[in-house]
Amino acid sequence: MKLKSWILLIIFFLLVSLTRLASGIYLDYLWYEQLGYGTVFTTILSSYWGIRLLAWLFFSIFLYINLIFTQKALLNMPNLVLRQMLMNTKFGNLLTAKRLRVVFLLAALVIPWLLTSTFGDHWLPVRLFFSGMETGITEPIFARDVSFYLFALPFYELIYQYLLMVIVVTSILTGGIYLFIQPPQQLGLRSLFARRGQTHISILLSGLFLVVAAGYRLQMYNLLYSQRGAAFGPGYTDLNAQLPIYWVLLALTLTVAGVLLYNARAKNPRLIAGSILALIVAAILLGGVLPAAMQSFIVEPNEFAREEQYLQNNIEFTRLAYGLDKIERRDFDLTGTLGYEELLANEGTINNIRLWDYRPLQQTYNQLQGLRRYYRFNDVDTDRYEIDGEYRQLMLSARELLASELPARTWQNERLFYTHGYGVVASPVNQVTGQGLPSLVLSDLPVRGDLAELQVDVPQIYYGERTDNYVFTGADTNEFDYPMGETNAFTRYDGDGGVKLGGLFNRLLFALRFSDYRILISGELQPESRIHFYRTVNERMQRLAPFLRQDPDPYLVVADGRLFWMVDTYTTSSRFPYAEPQGDINYIRNAAKAVVDAYNGTVNFYIFEPEDPLIQAYAEIFPELFKPAEDMPDYLRQHVRYPEALFTIQSRMYATYHMQNNQVFYNREDQWQLPEERYEGNTIAMEPYYTIIQLPGEEEPEFVLMIPYTPATRDNMVAWLAARADGDKYGQLRVYLFPKGELLYGPSQVEARIDQDSRISEQLSLWDQRGSNVIRGNLLVLPVNGSVLYVEPIYLRAESGQLPELARVIVAYGENVVMERTLAEALAAVFGLQPGVPPEEPPDDDEEPGRPVTPGEPVEGTVLELIEQAVRLFSEAEAAQRSGDWAEYGRLQQELGAVLARLQELGTTTE
């Protein structure tokens, strides 16, 4: 193949690649513009390419100038043998000033372009450097505002790494040229370079060591992230050995830079080698040996005394970095006097005890409401709603469509016909049918539900957690909406989501973008058709705000007749001084929440922590992206919840950083841990859980996220942490401390007591051996009126099926552990009673037969009247049980017990 053909082929592939790149950029811009965030795209794009081109341009100019300096040496090559060899080849034509400049220019353009290819990815630190604001928090070692470490230091380190690369690469290339042209007999130390080469290399190396000196200055600031001492951050060795050593090395490096600059005139190769060797030896001896010796022989034998003054910095700044300083500490006095009537009086708590674990419930939803193989419930979320005037906790899940599960995977089916999921399933957390299944308040196709608060007028789901394929709407064909037995319901998209397909040019670009020629030739598509891509919630978040860390679990909200996805996003950093890392971060704030419309795909970001310095900087860079929290509609605002991912990080860190006394912290005397629980035969870390409870000292039940704590070396419970979410209480954190010296069973101890109960363990073992699997759900720890109640649901799942059913409820209180068919029966039994037995206040004397009664009191009426009354009470109790109103259920059972006791008495009298 001729050279000309190769060149044409390369040009063709370059044109195709550039066209695909340009089409991708243009189509992405259309996507951003359709969402109303065109300026976000242009800001990111201009920042990326601006930094990339600037880094390339400076490097190119610097390299070209230095290569030009080698031109004279090349043209007057002292290695005559090499020169003669080159002249006898085709490379000999390059040894002219004009052609060398062309070669140097090409090298200066191509090499920096390749080496700076990743620098555009660092656009964010550069923008943050110019947009970051002071925090008002000053660290004590260098007396710098924390903003310096969040915004300035990453930028300075980027510049340092860039300059280091530029000078090192340039030095290697120019040094290689000088070395290449030397006669073989002159390649000794005394004449390593030609005289002109020594001057040039000396200047370059002098500049290199000036940059290295700046690097030592930056390393001083990085001591605030040291992991050498008793706690994260600078310790005794860092500040009394490593920091002075950095100053010494900085001075030595500047000295070496001066010596090398002097050598530009002296032209003594020994100065180059000797200076570099001296610095390397000093860095090894001072930077490595001395700090290690001090740590081993001075600090470790008396570590606390040496490190005490630095422990407080770690404690204080770690608490600031994770928001632990805002946790309110309160005592939880154990009264141990909880009675059955007192328990039932806590209706808000009792009526929202979660009997459904999200894991088996997801399987149940898929079995009961999947209805077709291509429908899938990806996750089950929990939230609270006002139902018939009552504050109720619900479990919800969206019915999404998986294109990969379609029975016939044709292009038309995947792109034009099956375009969306449909509907939502919801059930109260505590309601169970007679078959042990969830009581659904939203279900079926089309969506059915009798609750006005949960009306779904727009059930189609074009954007969700599993919508990972692109589709078209507005085509000439109808879209499948949902199945109707032997027929199907159809729909036409009426929203403004997606990008208009446009004319032939746009269709060509889309065809190139998705490598799909059918976009170009399909007769079903029209200019007004819309293409929906980047449809998953997480992908939309990543495209719009790549600088925010997303919560991995978006949750579904039914509000205003529509379906929304709510996503918690976090500002994070690994550069908060002194703060203990958790994974790859040591600072986090739930600064913004995003809402995605499941039908239109619109995205709105709301700032919930305006005082966060990172979100302030992001809002400065992207002012059109963020809105204040006050702009969130009320129907969405009431569904904001404290994020579980953030709470998990905070609860883990608080297990250690609740200790603020240096001595106690150093010895880990009061170290806590998150408890463990059982799930499907495995011991796993207990997850935080949402529930509605009445917090101690509060008048109304509220929606909280909570987790208990146990000591690090014991299983008893010492505290519990709660995050509030309702109204103006949102974001408040409280830890309730149990009295020290009093035993309170922890979750693992309760699990052990369940295992040790012969009646319970025998029953569970029996079920496990009869073709079914026992699933033990979340163990809930519920503080109630100075006492703690434990509730664990038990599910049965057939070995051949995937339909878990709620079979029993275990309740533990004090020394009692019981397992009953229903929660109401278990709550009564744990107090040593049968439902209907506990006494109530004596009735008024003038009440008629049929009035509410309590056991133990005389019940008037004939046998027939009493039987009728018993039937009525039994029917009303069943209705209360189905609705999850356990307080009413308990009251009715009490009346029923009294009536039955009277009937038994009359029967005995008759005999």
Side-chain angles (χ1 to χ4, degrees):
M1 195 172 185
K2 295 182 178 180
L3 179 62
K4 185 177 180 180
S5 300
W6 279 108
I7 293 174
L8 291 175
L9 186 61
I10 292 172
I11 291 174
F12 172 76
F13 279 111
L14 285 175
L15 287 175
V16 171
S17 300
L18 289 174
T19 301
R20 288 179 64 91
L21 176 63
S23 67
I25 293 174
Y26 171 67
L27 296 179
D28 277 348
Y29 173 75
L30 294 181
W31 183 83
Y32 279 84
E33 187 67 23
Q34 185 272 326
L35 288 172
Y37 298 123
T39 55
V40 172
F41 178 79
T42 55
T43 298
I44 294 176
L45 189 67
S46 61
S47 299
Y48 174 90
W49 284 105
I51 293 167
R52 168 81 189 277
L53 293 175
L54 187 62
W56 167 74
L57 181 62
F58 177 85
F59 193 176
S60 294
I61 294 173
F62 185 84
L63 179 59
Y64 180 72
I65 292 173
N66 280 274
L67 290 175
I68 288 295
F69 274 118
T70 68
Q71 178 178 294
K72 186 175 180 180
L74 278 169
L75 293 175
N76 300 292
M77 188 182 304
N79 190 335
L80 298 179
V81 176
L82 180 62
R83 181 182 180 86
Q84 187 61 38
M85 290 175 58
L86 289 174
M87 294 301 294
N88 292 332
T89 66
K90 57 184 178 181
F91 294 105
N93 297 329
L94 298 176
L95 294 179
T96 65
K98 182 177 181 181
R99 289 176 177 173
L100 278 177
R101 284 196 294 270
V102 173
V103 172
F104 289 158
L105 180 61
L106 288 175
L109 292 175
V110 174
I111 294 175
W113 180 259
L114 296 175
L115 294 178
T116 60
S117 60
T118 61
F119 269 80
D121 296 329
H122 299 286
W123 63 270
L124 187 58
V126 177
R127 294 301 302 262
L128 287 176
F129 173 75
F130 293 102
S131 300
M133 306 173 187
E134 290 196 350
T135 64
I137 304 172
T138 303
E139 53 86 13
I141 303 300
F142 298 110
R144 291 274 193 172
D145 188 271
V146 168
S147 61
F148 171 80
Y149 300 94
L150 294 177
F151 305 123
L153 187 57
F155 173 76
Y156 293 147
E157 290 179 340
L158 180 64
I159 297 300
Y160 163 74
Q161 294 165 4
Y162 171 73
L163 292 176
L164 200 64
M165 179 190 70
V166 168
I167 298 177
V168 167
V169 171
T170 303
S171 299
I172 291 173
L173 290 175
T174 54
I177 291 174
Y178 290 125
L179 185 63
F180 177 71
I181 64 177
Q182 288 292 87
Q185 65 272 19
Q186 295 184 8
L187 293 179
L189 178 63
R190 296 181 61 86
S191 53
L192 181 61
F193 302 112
R195 295 180 62 84
R196 182 179 178 85
Q198 288 188 43
T199 300
H200 189 184
I201 294 301
S202 294
I203 293 174
L204 280 175
L205 291 179
S206 178
L208 175 63
F209 282 101
L210 287 174
V211 174
V212 172
Y216 281 125
R217 186 70 181 99
L218 295 177
Q219 288 186 56
M220 297 179 194
Y221 292 116
N222 277 304
L223 287 176
L224 272 60
Y225 312 107
S226 171
Q227 302 185 48
R228 186 186 345 240
F232 188 85
Y236 184 89
T237 301
D238 296 308
L239 298 180
N240 292 278
Q242 195 69 61
L243 182 60
I245 287 170
Y246 280 150
W247 280 115
V248 171
L249 291 175
L250 187 150
L252 287 175
T253 307
L254 291 176
T255 302
V256 170
V259 170
L260 290 170
L261 192 60
Y262 166 76
N263 192 60
R265 297 189 61 182
K267 299 181 177 63
N268 185 348
R270 288 186 174 182
L271 285 177
I272 299 177
S275 299
I276 295 174
L277 182 61
L279 185 60
I280 292 174
V281 172
I284 293 174
L285 293 178
L286 294 177
V289 176
L290 185 59
M294 177 176 283
Q295 183 69 23
S296 298
F297 299 109
I298 297 178
V299 176
E300 290 182 1
N302 194 17
E303 190 174 46
F304 178 71
R306 299 292 185 184
E307 302 279 17
E308 181 179 8
Q309 60 179 315
Y310 309 112
L311 290 174
Q312 190 58 42
N313 293 334
N314 172 257
I315 295 172
E316 178 184 351
F317 279 81
T318 299
R319 289 171 61 85
L320 284 172
Y322 294 98
L324 309 182
D325 57 312
K326 299 178 181 178
I327 296 180
E328 179 185 359
R329 296 168 64 96
R330 293 197 176 186
D331 292 329
F332 188 93
D333 296 327
L334 292 173
T335 62
T337 58
L338 182 65
Y340 186 54
E341 300 88 349
E342 188 179 4
L343 173 68
L344 297 180
N346 284 268
E347 295 185 20
T349 300
I350 299 304
N351 290 343
N352 289 283
I353 293 178
R354 183 162 59 87
L355 298 180
W356 287 105
D357 187 312
Y358 69 93
R359 291 162 292 198
L361 185 60
Q362 180 185 356
Q363 299 177 22
T364 300
Y365 279 173
N366 277 306
Q367 288 294 312
L368 293 179
Q369 287 290 309
L371 304 180
R372 292 292 187 274
R373 59 177 292 186
Y374 44 78
Y375 282 135
R376 187 80 78 249
F377 293 98
N378 182 63
D379 189 22
V380 178
D381 303 308
T382 182
D383 199 359
R384 71 285 198 196
Y385 290 80
E386 198 73 32
I387 305 296
D388 292 333
E390 293 186 26
Y391 201 46
R392 302 300 298 272
Q393 186 177 353
L394 300 183
M395 310 291 279
L396 305 96
S397 189
R399 185 186 290 105
E400 298 192 58
L401 186 146
L402 300 185
S404 60
E405 296 296 326
L406 291 174
R409 296 193 61 184
T410 64
W411 184 85
Q412 188 174 29
N413 276 347
E414 291 190 27
R415 307 300 178 195
L416 304 178
F417 192 61
Y418 293 96
T419 57
H420 59 274
Y422 188 94
V424 59
V425 171
S427 59
V429 296
N430 65 331
Q431 291 186 16
V432 184
T433 67
Q435 294 75 39
L437 300 175
S439 178
L440 303 179
V441 293
L442 282 177
S443 62
D444 298 338
L445 300 169
V447 179
R448 294 184 176 88
D450 297 329
L451 301 175
E453 298 86 351
L454 289 174
Q455 290 301 311
V456 182
D457 302 319
V458 185
Q460 291 82 7
I461 301 172
Y462 285 86
Y463 301 88
E465 295 182 276
R466 300 291 296 271
T467 49
D468 54 0
N469 63 321
Y470 66 92
V471 297
F472 296 91
T473 58
D476 284 347
T477 181
N478 287 328
E479 302 169 52
F480 168 81
D481 203 20
Y482 57 88
M484 298 176 59
E486 297 181 357
T487 62
N488 294 323
F490 301 96
T491 188
R492 304 280 293 186
Y493 184 71
D494 192 32
D496 53 11
V499 177
K500 286 188 177 180
L501 189 58
L504 181 62
F505 177 71
N506 274 18
R507 292 180 70 162
L508 176 61
L509 294 182
F510 278 117
L512 286 172
R513 170 65 178 276
F514 295 106
S515 301
D516 190 347
Y517 68 91
R518 285 160 292 200
I519 297 176
L520 192 61
I521 65 174
S522 174
E524 304 285 349
L525 299 176
Q526 303 300 324
E528 294 302 312
S529 300
R530 292 176 174 270
I531 179 171
H532 303 254
F533 56 104
Y534 302 148
R535 295 171 62 207
T536 65
V537 174
N538 286 335
E539 192 172 21
R540 295 175 88 77
M541 298 294 99
Q542 182 62 30
R543 293 281 172 177
L544 289 172
F547 41 84
L548 296 177
R549 185 169 297 205
Q550 303 172 44
D551 192 285
D553 183 24
Y555 63 97
L556 188 69
V557 173
V558 179
D560 197 36
R562 305 177 68 88
L563 303 179
F564 299 91
W565 298 100
M566 197 166 284
V567 188
D568 287 290
T569 63
Y570 310 103
T571 53
T572 61
S573 176
S574 61
R575 310 308 296 268
F576 202 85
Y578 313 101
E580 184 78 26
Q582 176 77 3
D584 61 341
I585 64 170
N586 72 346
Y587 173 89
I588 185 169
R589 290 290 185 274
N590 178 215
K593 295 180 183 291
V595 178
V596 181
D597 189 305
Y599 188 74
N600 289 320
T602 53
V603 184
N604 290 289
F605 291 87
Y606 301 94
I607 295 178
F608 271 72
E609 292 199 38
E611 68 281 0
D612 172 46
L614 285 172
I615 202 66
Q616 291 175 5
Y618 295 144
E620 177 75 15
I621 300 170
F622 304 100
E624 69 287 349
L625 186 61
F626 297 100
K627 301 175 182 178
E630 293 74 21
D631 288 358
M632 180 181 282
D634 289 340
Y635 57 80
L636 291 175
R637 182 66 179 84
Q638 59 187 337
H639 294 286
V640 168
R641 67 184 196 184
Y642 200 86
E644 185 176 346
L646 173 61
F647 186 78
T648 299
I649 292 174
Q650 290 177 315
S651 59
R652 288 174 181 167
M653 296 304 296
Y654 195 72
T656 299
Y657 285 90
H658 71 278
M659 298 178 286
Q660 300 184 58
N661 179 276
N662 292 341
Q663 181 74 61
V664 174
F665 179 84
Y666 175 77
N667 293 325
R668 299 297 196 266
E669 294 176 12
D670 194 22
Q671 178 76 37
W672 298 347
Q673 65 181 4
L674 299 182
E676 295 180 335
E677 63 177 348
R678 298 280 186 86
Y679 185 75
E680 293 204 58
N682 300 316
T683 299
I684 61 174
M686 191 172 188
E687 298 177 353
Y689 51 90
Y690 293 99
T691 188
I692 294 178
I693 64 171
Q694 186 171 330
L695 292 176
E698 301 298 328
E699 297 181 356
E700 297 292 335
E702 55 186 282
F703 189 67
V704 302
L705 179 62
M706 61 178 292
I707 189 76
Y709 285 111
T710 62
T713 57
R714 296 288 185 272
D715 292 327
N716 58 292
M717 198 155 54
V718 293
W720 57 284
L721 180 66
R724 310 173 78 181
D726 291 344
D728 57 2
K729 304 167 188 172
Y730 173 81
Q732 294 180 13
L733 296 170
R734 282 186 187 174
V735 62
Y736 292 90
L737 306 173
F738 295 114
K740 293 185 178 181
E742 293 189 36
L743 173 63
L744 182 65
Y745 291 119
S748 59
Q749 291 175 318
V750 172
E751 295 279 18
R753 293 179 62 213
I754 293 173
D755 293 336
Q756 293 166 7
D757 186 287
S758 59
R759 186 177 68 89
I760 296 176
S761 60
E762 287 176 5
Q763 182 65 67
L764 298 183
S765 299
L766 183 62
W767 283 331
D768 255 338
Q769 297 171 7
R770 291 192 172 181
S772 60
N773 295 323
V774 174
I775 302 174
R776 292 166 67 160
N778 282 124
L779 177 67
L780 304 181
V781 180
L782 301 173
V784 181
N785 289 24
S787 298
V788 177
L789 198 69
Y790 307 86
V791 178
E792 180 175 278
I794 301 295
Y795 311 95
L796 284 184
R797 181 181 60 198
E799 289 183 353
S800 59
Q802 292 293 321
L803 185 61
E805 300 176 1
L806 182 68
R808 294 292 186 273
V809 179
I810 296 176
V811 174
Y813 172 67
E815 298 297 326
N816 299 326
V817 178
V818 301
M819 183 174 74
E820 300 293 340
R821 292 181 178 275
T822 67
L823 175 63
E825 293 173 356
L827 290 175
V830 81
F831 287 92
L833 306 167
Q834 293 297 323
V837 173
E840 289 187 348
E841 293 296 325
D844 295 334
D845 293 337
D846 56 353
E847 287 186 358
E848 297 297 328
R851 56 176 172 75
V853 294
T854 56
E857 69 168 333
V859 180
E860 301 299 331
T862 65
V863 172
L864 181 59
E865 290 173 341
L866 292 174
I867 291 174
E868 292 175 350
Q869 190 174 356
V871 172
R872 176 181 59 80
L873 290 170
F874 179 78
S875 176
E876 292 176 358
E878 278 196 326
Q881 181 184 16
R882 286 193 297 271
S883 66
D885 190 346
W886 302 114
E888 178 65 11
Y889 177 85
R891 187 187 66 79
L892 292 167
Q893 288 288 329
Q894 294 173 28
E895 295 186 30
L896 179 58
V899 173
L900 293 176
R902 177 57 178 164
L903 279 170
Q904 184 179 17
E905 179 184 342
L906 291 175
T908 304
T909 303
T910 304
E911 293 176 0

